[in-house]
Amino acid sequence: MRSLALASSLLLAVASLAVAADPAPFEIAHRGASGYLPEHTREAVVMAHGLGAAYIEQDVVLCADGVPVVLHDIHLDDVSDVATRFPGRAREDGKHYALDFTLAELKQLEMRERFKPATGERVFPKRYSGSGTVFRLVTLEESLAIIAGLNASTGREAGVYPEIKRPAWHLAQGKDLSSAVLPVLKRFGYQDKDDPCYLQCFENAEVRRLRDTLGYQGRLIQLLGGGGKISGGNTDKAKFGRLEGLQELSKWVDGIGPPLGEIVMGESVDDRRITPLVADARAAGLAVHPYTARADDLPKWASDYDDLIGLLRKAGVAGFFTDFPGLAR
Ligand code: G3P
Ligand code: CA
């Protein structure tokens, strides 16, 4: 009897601790499961879904046909064989821009692990190095379609997390990226705050335009750079990583996406400290989804990947971008 009573009080204690602690933050698969397969490819999306990511990210740019495609940069040089497949098609700066290629041309590219075009050196040397599989670029539509298909066939719903990449640059080229992306999201049922989608952007002017001009009603995330800086639009506040700036942001967005170094600071495990950013953001009614947890590129203040995720949880983030979905469990 005594052991039964002891067991039930232990269970009660564990249960009350579980209620008191912040819930585990959810995972946003950064460029798909990019720690394991070339970023943003269909294979990386499928793996991210299989590993249980709550959300799967799509960086989005336009190609010459005006179709939104999933690519981190406005140029193709760091992740594909564009330079050898399409010689003579670079702009004056030596780069090949997705906007200068039709979708049919982009589909001929072989997508690769990220590398430095000047040297050919891989950015993450220990990542995928298999041979015999040709990876292709996907459109936003194709990325959302495979996720919808997997949601249906597995019965587990993963959300989507598209980023509007370099909208001001697109507008300067005469192209409106956001106006091309929103109808695609709508076709897949992503338009209101109840839908499992976060739309994100670094440029504050575009974040405001999405709400005020384009009428986007879904969840919106303002990405922050180092030092809490935002780019574009209202730059009279250099730092939005402060309570007053966050309160202003909350008129437009549902959350912020800062770099990891804005959540925890320090040059080593011994001198690290959690910054007030998450507490301030939560006080302003904003969720915080920092980027990017990488098991093969840890911040100086984290002893290992689990330590990193534990600190993010302690800081109170709602979710986090990771190249390695599933690893923290
Ligand atoms: O969108 C969150 C994070 O992905 C921002 O950094 O450069 O990887 O798009 P980046
Ligand atoms: Ca991104």
Side-chain angles (χ1 to χ4, degrees), residues 58-62 69 71-76 78 91 93 95-99 162-179 181 199-207 209-210 223 231-232:
Q58 300 79 27
D59 293 312
V60 187
V61 303
L62 286 178
V69 297
L71 185 70
H72 178 264
D73 306 302
I74 51 178
H75 52 82
L76 296 146
D78 299 13
R91 291 196 184 186
D93 63 1
K95 293 181 178 174
H96 300 76
Y97 287 75
L99 196 52
E163 179 181 346
I164 304 288
K165 278 286 180 194
R166 303 287 302 274
W169 180 86
H170 279 89
L171 284 173
Q173 304 284 316
K175 305 286 180 185
D176 185 346
L177 174 57
S178 292
S179 292
V181 167
L199 187 59
Q200 46 166 341
C201 188
F202 274 104
E203 296 178 21
N204 183 246
E206 194 68 5
V207 164
R209 194 172 83 95
L210 279 158
L223 295 170
S231 57

Side-chain angles (χ1 to χ4, degrees), residues 28 30-31 39-40 57-59 72-73 114 161-163 165 200-202 221 223-224 257-259 289-292 294 321 323:
I28 306 152
H30 185 242
R31 312 180 198 170
E39 65 187 52
H40 284 318
E57 188 201 28
Q58 300 79 27
D59 293 312
H72 178 264
D73 306 302
R114 182 163 283 272
Y161 211 121
E163 179 181 346
K165 278 286 180 194
Q200 46 166 341
C201 188
F202 274 104
I221 296 289
L223 295 170
L224 305 181
H289 302 163
Y291 63 89
T292 301
R294 293 181 165 121
F321 289 86
D323 287 1

Side-chain angles (χ1 to χ4, degrees), residues 4-83:
L4 194 62
L6 186 62
S8 41
S9 48
L10 269 174
L11 272 176
L12 273 174
V14 170
S16 62
L17 271 179
V19 168
D22 270 321
F26 58 74
E27 291 179 321
I28 306 152
H30 185 242
R31 312 180 198 170
S34 59
Y36 302 114
L37 283 162
E39 65 187 52
H40 284 318
T41 57
R42 188 180 268 114
E43 290 81 355
V45 172
V46 172
M47 187 166 186
H49 197 290
L51 289 171
Y55 290 85
I56 302 173
E57 188 201 28
Q58 300 79 27
D59 293 312
V60 187
V61 303
L62 286 178
C63 68
D65 310 289
V67 178
V69 297
V70 184
L71 185 70
H72 178 264
D73 306 302
I74 51 178
H75 52 82
L76 296 146
D77 301 79
D78 299 13
V79 289
S80 80
D81 63 347
V82 68

Side-chain angles (χ1 to χ4, degrees), residues 36 67 71 84 90 135 144 192 195 199 206 226 228 230-231 238 247 284:
Y36 302 114
V67 178
L71 185 70
T84 51
F135 298 98
L144 301 191
D192 296 318
D195 303 322
L199 187 59
E206 194 68 5
I230 62 172
S231 57
Q247 281 164 342

